Amino acid sequence: MNYDHFFTDAIDALRKERRYRTFAQIERDASHFPRAVWHSPGGPRDIVVWCSNDYLGMGSHPDVVNAMCETARARGAGAGGTRNISGNSHEIVMLERELADLHGKEAGLVFTSGYISNATGISTIVKLIPDCVVISDELNHNSMIEGVRQGGRQKFIFRHNDLEHLEEILKTIGDRPKLIAFESVYSMDGDIAPIKEICDLAERYGAMTYLDEVHAVGMYGARGGGVAERDGVMDRVDVIEGTLGKAFGVIGGYITGKRAMIDAVRSYAPGFIFTTALPPAISAAATASVRHLKASQSEREGQRAQVTKTKAALAAAGLPQMDTPTHIIPVMVGDAKACKMASDLLLAEYGIYIQPINYPTVPRGTERLRITPTPFHDDALIAHLVQALSDVWERLELPYADRMAKESKSRRVALGPAPIPVPVAGG
Ligand code: PLP
């Protein structure tokens, strides 16, 4: 039997739909972030990365890098196994304390990624609550969807950030236990959930809340606790989940909450129990990053300033950015092929790396370039970016902001209001 064709057929299908992903080979330069070297087909080329989720450049921060190197030298590279087998490293215990404190919670639990923390966290929590119903925002990240699916409970999907729809669903569920799962910053549209209002509804209808702050930790709130900290509602959210791999610049994920909930997840979650722990060096680096961002405002202020300047420069050039209240700046292209071509041109001819965002990460017809300025994208880099984008828009005859606005208005009229999704039983 020849098995190869199953795989080549699957790849061909992706190519036909223009969904085949190619990854550029990029070597980040820790001493010149966000600069990097691209190993292009023609040899190494200097480039500037404009789409990193190392939002504050903490991956290159001396405190973080030193903590990692010193701890690796002292404790070795790995963790030595699962926590069941090898016990808790001192560094992971310190990290969990730091994270619980960051979110004002009784306890924290670290996983090997944000993805795992959502997938195994949500599924374990809902399995531990008999007859629990999950109510999940329609734009939740795949890791949350996976957590809901693995949890195997009845689920309802509410329209994105739509409080009326959420309340309608809460009313129909009645007295059963329920978990509302949502994010603070949605990473592809760069918008923010009404956390306070969702907590109001949760209290009124007796629901637990699970908030993914992956794209907000480190960046919002006086100590980098996320949007819930900024909005003064951290204490009203039952479970706050985050990553150590984006603004904190390292890798790993976590949940924080009440001690009993954390202890139960620790005791029952397969994605926690049956996998090697985060190594001490990684834990120490993450702790250094979290500690630094609790005290320092300069990275957050620097990032905000450069984001504001980038948005203003894009607007002045008439480029079709989505209006966001966050550090995420999606620039709309609206076509998969054009989006890939724009990204390729930027890289090959302007030394700018912005990876194309296509279906299924975003709906078809909303393909985009997602720009994430850091405090280290200085004014000269911003000017270069906007000039390069303007050239590419001209060369590929892409739609500018005014045309995009007209087209999206007529699309909305043609589609009418979105239908109310039907509840789906069993995850
Ligand atoms: N949650 C959201 C909203 C995300 O966007 C991501 C990753 O991009 C994750 C969770 C997963 O986090 P990690 O990259 O740490 O696995």
Side-chain angles (χ1 to χ4, degrees), residues 53 112-118 140-141 143-144 183 185 187 212 214-215 241-246 251-253:
N53 283 349
T112 43
S113 72
Y115 192 99
I116 300 292
S117 56
N118 273 336
N140 277 345
H141 186 255
S143 54
M144 302 177 82
E183 300 178 21
V185 173
S187 71
D212 174 316
V214 158
H215 293 277
E241 182 268 350
T243 184
L244 303 166
K246 300 192 195 293
I251 190 168

Side-chain angles (χ1 to χ4, degrees), residues 6 30 36 61 75 87 95 99 111 116 119 128 141 172 197 204 215 220 228 253 292 318 408 422:
F6 293 113
H61 193 284
R75 313 257 177 276
L95 175 58
L99 293 167
F111 301 84
I116 300 292
L128 289 168
H141 186 255
T172 66
E197 289 76 8
R204 193 169 317 142
H215 293 277
Y220 297 85
H292 179 87
S408 81
V422 180

Side-chain angles (χ1 to χ4, degrees), residues 79-88 273 275:
T82 66
R83 287 167 76 168
N84 247 2
I85 304 242
S86 299
N88 289 335
I273 297 170
T275 188

Side-chain angles (χ1 to χ4, degrees), residues 140-158:
N140 277 345
H141 186 255
N142 178 275
S143 54
M144 302 177 82
I145 296 170
E146 197 49 33
V148 174
R149 195 189 64 74
Q150 287 174 22
R153 298 293 189 192
Q154 186 180 12
K155 74 166 188 243
F156 289 79
I157 309 296
F158 66 100

